[in-house]
Amino acid sequence: MATSSIQAGLSLSAVFSDHMVLQREVPVPLWGRAPAGAQVTVALGPETRSARADESGQWRVELAARQAGGPHEIQVSSGGQRVVLSDVLFGDVWLCSGQSNMEWPVQSVIHADAEVSGARQGTIRLYQMARRISLEPQEEGPGSWEVCSPDTVGPFSAVGYFFGRKLQQELGVPIGLVNASWGGTLAEAWTPLEALETQPGLKPMVAAYRRDLLNLDAARARYRTELAAWEAEAFLADPGNKGHRRGWHRPEFDDGTWKTMELPRLWDSLGMAIDGAVWFRRKVEIPAGWEGRKLILSLGAIDDFDVTYVNGMKVGATGAETPTWWQAPRQYQVPGRLVKAGPMVVAVRVFDRYMSGGFGGVAQQMRLYPADEPQPAITLAGAWRYQVEFSVAHGRPTPPMPQPVPGETPNSVSVLYNGMLHAWRHVALKGAIWYQGESNAGRAYQYRSLLPALIQSWRKVWGQDLAFGIVQLANYQAPVAVPCENEWAELREAQ
């Protein structure tokens, strides 16, 4: 938000800020707050529009449609106060939404260093929507627009960025990308409540939602109890780091009898259908010029948890305290006192408590380099020695996961629409791209009703026939026996 907008009395909605992109070729609404009854004037070049704030202090104007281009300056004034938005472009604005595959950042993709350093895209603008759940529709969504650059693109949605870059190259117009994604979320969480009520097959989830609202405190307490019981039964407990006691972290340990595995990969891809702890070791040669310098050890994402050692010393660990730990890229600092010219041993204990386990990132993320000089780096992708510390086979019976209750998780009905999307309903868009479905795979047939309900509701909310692009997980988890029993294929059919 432009800094002048924080003056008492006059403000623009937080969806507007310097560097923003407004949708070309359609009337453009702007809105905000001012003292009740105050007249507000908005100027864009020679065009001016005025409105009077209502009793609640809300005002709104609509600017005439404009062709692609810029930069422009927008001035909002009232009662001697003024808000100025600079470097405003007109182009195409796209909403990028879904779960982890939309959320996956540019800094974690293949050739991430090259992609980030090459992201000098001055006519692409990025808006990272803050995560928020809410039982009631919210009128504001905190955040701000940023110019796409090596300094800003890293944590942004990779799918969104590559989509926007392709459009910009082909159309030659500014592109605005609004990232509203959250890993592991259900489609119904992104859908307005009233839209779910129109579909007979979706009414039961709405009925359960309303039933929980009648006694929300009791419903939340019950859910927490049920979730704790489910986790205690479904999640494998870590009995302790036995490999450490056996000296598997020490550089002098002889791992010659261990097997080798090419990393990064999830060990399930090798037929290791297990949960448990697996150790990985790799020896690298440190050049003389690095001696005594602080290094960055980058390992990519690890599913689920890890403890990492360098020459026998623990340099980092990631556990359940880290949000979305299974996709969080690991980057640990290696103190200069541990860095000597010659061989260095990196040892990683990976503990997987549920479903797939191992290294889930990409080869380009697995590297070792001086903190003050990212290039050149030593690659850590490739063959590692590994040994299973302990394991339990997949397929052990687990109870059904308890259904979330309103406001307790991001997977409650409508809470992400309320908390993140509702504030954007007046922003003119070109369309939306959607990368979601994995979390609904267990109810794949229901997705035949749920996804159309979401699309139609968004078009109704925005008052536009929005273009809507869907990504499928092509060929993911191909059936091994009975094709008709594969829920992922059923979900793709629903899409």
Side-chain angles (χ1 to χ4, degrees):
M1 191 94 188
T3 55
S4 55
S5 66
I6 63 173
Q7 300 177 69
L10 176 65
S11 68
L12 270 165
S13 168
V15 304
F16 305 116
S17 75
D18 297 335
H19 315 303
M20 67 180 174
V21 177
L22 297 174
Q23 182 58 42
R24 60 175 171 150
E25 300 172 358
V26 297
V28 176
L30 288 94
W31 64 94
R33 300 189 65 83
Q39 179 157 319
V40 179
T41 300
V42 179
L44 173 58
E47 180 185 9
T48 60
R49 292 285 189 272
S50 295
R52 194 169 294 278
D54 64 18
E55 292 181 356
S56 65
Q58 298 180 9
W59 60 266
R60 173 188 166 105
V61 301
E62 192 171 87
L63 299 175
R66 289 177 176 257
Q67 296 298 309
H72 300 279
E73 182 178 272
I74 296 176
Q75 297 189 20
V76 183
S77 57
S78 178
Q81 293 186 332
R82 188 175 68 152
V83 176
V84 178
L85 302 181
S86 61
D87 190 29
V88 175
L89 304 178
F90 281 82
D92 287 342
V93 183
W94 287 83
L95 176 64
C96 312
S97 191
Q99 56 181 112
S100 59
N101 284 319
M102 183 63 76
E103 186 181 51
W104 189 262
V106 176
Q107 64 196 16
S108 296
V109 303
I110 296 173
H111 309 304
D113 289 342
E115 295 292 356
V116 170
S117 63
R120 302 183 185 281
Q121 307 285 345
T123 56
I124 297 178
R125 306 296 170 84
L126 312 174
Y127 192 106
Q128 179 63 56
M129 199 177 294
R131 286 179 168 189
R132 181 172 61 178
I133 63 175
S134 176
L135 296 179
E136 300 294 334
Q138 300 298 305
E139 295 297 333
E140 288 292 351
S144 63
W145 287 91
E146 296 181 311
V147 179
C148 180
S149 73
D151 294 327
T152 61
V153 78
F156 197 78
S157 163
V159 170
Y161 168 65
F162 292 132
F163 172 81
R165 187 178 68 180
K166 180 70 170 176
L167 283 183
Q168 201 284 325
Q169 291 169 347
E170 293 195 356
L171 300 177
V173 301
I175 300 293
L177 301 169
V178 181
N179 182 23
S181 55
W182 194 327
T185 52
L186 298 164
E188 57 263 35
W190 297 99
T191 309
L193 186 63
E194 55 271 20
L196 299 172
E197 292 178 308
T198 64
Q199 299 289 332
L202 305 179
K203 285 184 178 180
M205 68 172 66
V206 178
Y209 171 87
R210 294 196 182 281
R211 184 171 59 250
D212 286 337
L213 283 179
L214 294 176
N215 195 346
L216 191 55
D217 289 341
R220 287 178 171 174
R222 184 187 70 248
Y223 170 75
R224 291 168 186 168
T225 300
E226 292 176 351
L227 181 64
W230 179 85
E231 290 178 345
E233 192 166 348
F235 289 165
L236 181 65
D238 189 345
N241 193 340
K242 296 179 181 178
H244 185 276
R245 293 196 291 272
R246 296 167 184 165
W248 291 358
H249 63 302
R250 298 184 181 280
E252 65 271 18
F253 177 79
D254 182 5
D255 57 20
T257 61
W258 289 16
K259 298 179 181 179
T260 60
M261 183 185 300
E262 294 287 324
L263 298 182
R265 73 188 311 152
L266 299 178
W267 59 62
D268 301 65
S269 65
L270 294 176
M272 292 172 56
I274 61 170
D275 294 328
V278 181
W279 278 74
F280 296 85
R281 288 170 54 96
R282 182 179 173 111
K283 184 180 294 185
V284 297
E285 196 71 19
I286 300 300
W290 289 14
E291 185 160 348
R293 298 167 67 181
K294 182 171 68 177
L295 305 182
I296 301 297
L297 174 62
S298 175
L299 297 172
I302 294 178
D303 191 349
D304 287 307
F305 311 135
D306 74 284
V307 182
T308 298
Y309 305 87
V310 168
N311 282 347
M313 300 296 294
K314 178 181 172 181
V315 296
T318 299
E321 75 288 342
T322 300
T324 60
W325 57 83
W326 63 91
Q327 65 181 27
R330 274 39 168 197
Q331 282 199 338
Y332 301 131
Q333 293 186 4
V334 181
R337 60 184 173 80
L338 298 180
V339 182
K340 309 293 183 183
M344 171 183 283
V345 174
V346 179
V348 183
R349 181 185 189 261
V350 178
F351 174 67
D352 174 54
R353 65 179 184 176
Y354 187 68
M355 298 180 69
S356 300
F359 288 71
V362 295
Q364 286 73 17
Q365 292 176 290
M366 299 189 67
R367 47 202 296 268
L368 181 70
Y369 56 91
D372 58 353
E373 187 182 4
Q375 294 293 347
I378 295 174
T379 182
L380 299 177
W384 286 61
R385 297 280 189 177
Y386 79 95
Q387 178 68 44
V388 177
E389 180 188 292
F390 83 99
S391 67
V392 174
H394 284 174
R396 62 190 187 278
T398 58
M401 182 180 292
Q403 291 297 308
V405 298
E408 187 68 20
T409 78
N411 280 328
S412 299
V413 169
S414 303
V415 294
L416 297 183
Y417 169 78
N418 292 339
M420 298 174 68
L421 298 185
H422 184 79
W424 286 77
R425 69 194 184 282
H426 298 310
V427 175
L429 300 176
K430 183 69 174 179
I433 56 174
W434 178 251
Y435 202 158
Q436 192 276 343
E438 303 91 317
S439 290
N440 286 92
R443 295 178 277 122
Y445 192 84
Q446 185 189 63
Y447 210 69
R448 294 169 181 253
S449 300
L450 181 54
L451 183 59
L454 180 145
I455 296 170
Q456 293 161 13
S457 71
W458 286 14
R459 288 174 172 165
K460 181 179 179 180
V461 164
W462 267 273
Q464 302 172 245
D465 188 21
L466 295 176
F468 197 96
I470 305 166
V471 179
Q472 294 178 311
L473 288 178
N475 299 325
Y476 183 67
Q477 289 198 353
V480 293
V482 185
C484 64
E485 293 182 356
N486 183 267
E487 60 189 16
W488 296 88
E490 188 179 3
L491 184 89
R492 290 191 288 273
E493 180 67 16
Q495 290 175 320

